[in-house]
Amino acid sequence: MERVKIVVTGGAGFIGSHAVVELYEAGYQPIIIDDFSNSKESVLRGIQDILGVEIPSHNIDCGDESALREVFSKEKDIQGIIHFAAFKAVGESLQKPLAYYQNNVGSLMTLLKVMPDFGIENFVFSSSCTVYGIPDQLPVTEQTPTKPATSPYGNTKKMCEDILTDVAKATTSLHTILLRYFNPIGAHPSAKIGELPLGVPQNLVPFITQTAAGMREKLTIYGDTYDTPDGTNIRDYIYVVDLAKAHVVAVQRLLDRKGEAVETFNVGTGRGNSVLEVVHAFEKATGVKLNYTIGPPRTGDVPAIYADVTKATNELGFKTTSSLEEALASAWKWQQTLANSQ
Ligand code: UD1
């Protein structure tokens, strides 16, 4: 039987590459679109090593309308799009807001404009728990009110959700699932793909693994006087392979026309862990002692957020398979593989 074709924008990125693998293993034909502005072409080799086949890939910017049209014409019969491609550095977005609006909002609008001409109706969007701002109550459900974003990056996620909702209201030919990710961590168990931060990592786990590998002198924990049990920030760290699998289920749900035209799901574990807990879990999982210090809070950080995942569990049958320690062990295995390959 022919595989159902799903375009994965940002398919060479951290979450995108894991989703490509899970889609293929579930019987779909992923087609990657990536401009490699924040990823490396070597990721494609990692995917191929895991799957034993080459996944079609197009090096284009998905804000480039004519390039997009060319890819869609060439590939034919695309049944859905998972849209990961976006800039994601919160701090950078404060310095370069226009680049963030142009890239994140612009590429969504281009995709939505082009899709109907090719009969593509199904769309999964990479959203973020950042839309909840600093929530009044924890855990956050999908009904928790969204709050004004604290960064242009966060604002683009909220704006894209609103654009998708408005477009779906105005047409019968858009069916979309908004997945609000919490904090994805870890790497594929094969250690052939994982997170590949270019430059100094902004996110916690790659900073931890690089410090443990001796590439960074020490981790700075951004503040320990928050109103949390140990004073450090609380997040919901989800294993990236579990998160990738949520996309496969979301795509199938869209193809089956099971839900409303627009549906929103939190994708997390339902568990909150502090930064110190992550550090200790890493040490326990790997046996490596981590050099760290406490620094001042980072501007824009939310003190605590974690997901209520009842909706994703009930409606998507979503389950997480890996503990925090297992996910951290996979990140460490990936870091060691990277170090050996350089
Ligand atoms: C943020 C956004 C998220 C976005 C992600 C993309 C929020 C709530 N979350 O995640 O939507 O998708 O960026 O990059 O805005 N930390 C340290 N030291 C470090 C690095 C991080 O202590 O060197 C701490 C942070 O203060 C935070 C936690 O680790 O408490 C996680 O940080 P990070 O991995 O950057 O993710 P978020 O800021 O939660």
Side-chain angles (χ1 to χ4, degrees):
M1 220 175 72
E2 261 206 56
R3 288 172 173 263
V4 170
K5 291 183 186 172
I6 304 294
V7 160
V8 183
T9 77
F14 174 40
I15 312 172
S17 57
H18 290 82
V20 165
V21 167
E22 295 307 316
L23 278 169
Y24 190 84
E25 286 185 337
Y28 297 90
Q29 178 57 62
I31 295 161
I32 296 171
I33 289 183
D34 206 299
D35 68 358
F36 298 93
S37 59
N38 193 27
S39 57
K40 290 193 184 160
E41 306 235 13
S42 60
V43 173
L44 303 178
R45 209 166 48 238
I47 293 173
Q48 184 169 351
D49 285 351
I50 294 170
L51 297 176
V53 292
E54 194 176 339
I55 297 299
S57 166
H58 302 273
N59 184 345
I60 63 158
D61 174 347
C62 53
D64 180 342
E65 185 177 332
S66 63
L68 210 53
R69 285 184 186 279
E70 214 173 293
V71 169
F72 289 176
S73 315
K74 189 172 161 235
E75 293 289 355
K76 294 193 187 63
D77 291 334
I78 294 161
Q79 298 294 308
I81 297 177
I82 307 180
H83 183 41
F84 290 103
F87 292 158
K88 61 161 193 174
V90 175
E92 184 187 58
S93 78
L94 291 158
Q95 311 299 319
K96 302 182 188 167
L98 205 51
Y100 272 69
Y101 289 113
Q102 180 72 53
N103 189 52
N104 294 7
V105 182
S107 65
L108 173 73
M109 293 191 5
T110 308
L111 282 164
L112 288 173
K113 183 176 168 200
V114 171
M115 281 167 60
D117 296 342
F118 294 86
I120 308 169
E121 300 191 342
N122 302 308
F123 196 87
V124 179
F125 178 65
S126 294
S127 191
S128 165
C129 66
T130 194
V131 300
Y132 298 116
I134 299 179
D136 296 328
Q137 265 190 336
L138 289 172
V140 290
T141 73
E142 292 79 358
Q143 266 69 55
T144 297
T146 57
K147 295 249 184 102
T150 52
S151 71
Y153 158 79
N155 214 13
T156 67
K157 291 294 169 190
K158 180 64 175 60
M159 288 168 84
C160 289
E161 286 197 357
D162 290 346
I163 290 168
L164 283 160
T165 306
D166 287 345
V167 174
K169 270 188 210 148
T171 167
T172 52
S173 58
L174 177 65
H175 298 263
T176 184
I177 291 183
L178 317 176
L179 296 180
R180 290 178 177 162
Y181 310 154
F182 285 68
N183 289 53
I185 59 163
H188 193 266
S190 65
K192 293 185 188 303
I193 55 171
E195 199 163 0
L196 258 185
L198 303 180
V200 181
Q202 306 296 310
N203 295 110
L204 179 62
V205 171
F207 205 101
I208 287 178
T209 58
Q210 289 196 4
T211 305
M215 294 164 66
R216 312 268 158 215
E217 191 205 331
K218 57 176 187 272
L219 167 77
T220 301
I221 294 180
Y222 297 135
D224 69 348
T225 55
Y226 286 97
D227 185 16
T228 59
D230 66 22
T232 64
N233 287 163
I234 289 174
R235 294 287 183 274
D236 184 331
Y237 295 93
I238 175 170
Y239 181 43
V240 66
V241 176
D242 288 336
L243 175 59
K245 286 186 173 144
H247 295 78
V248 178
V249 186
V251 161
Q252 191 57 54
R253 183 176 175 88
L254 289 169
L255 292 168
D256 293 345
R257 289 284 174 272
K258 270 203 183 141
E260 309 277 307
V262 183
E263 290 187 303
T264 306
F265 294 98
N266 284 342
V267 194
T269 64
R271 178 188 67 212
N273 286 108
S274 72
V275 180
L276 273 172
E277 281 172 341
V278 174
V279 168
H280 295 140
F282 178 84
E283 292 182 328
K284 192 161 166 228
T286 63
V288 182
K289 198 103 195 83
L290 201 72
N291 192 15
Y292 71 86
T293 179
I294 307 291
R298 179 169 70 174
T299 314
D301 266 346
V302 171
I305 187 161
Y306 58 97
D308 180 313
V309 290
T310 311
K311 189 176 172 196
T313 309
N314 293 345
E315 307 268 322
L316 298 179
F318 175 71
K319 300 194 278 296
T320 49
T321 59
S322 294
S323 67
L324 178 63
E325 281 174 27
E326 286 164 337
L328 290 167
S330 74
W332 180 229
K333 187 175 165 195
W334 164 242
Q335 180 67 56
Q336 289 171 302
T337 310
L338 273 180
N340 292 335
S341 70
Q342 274 158 11

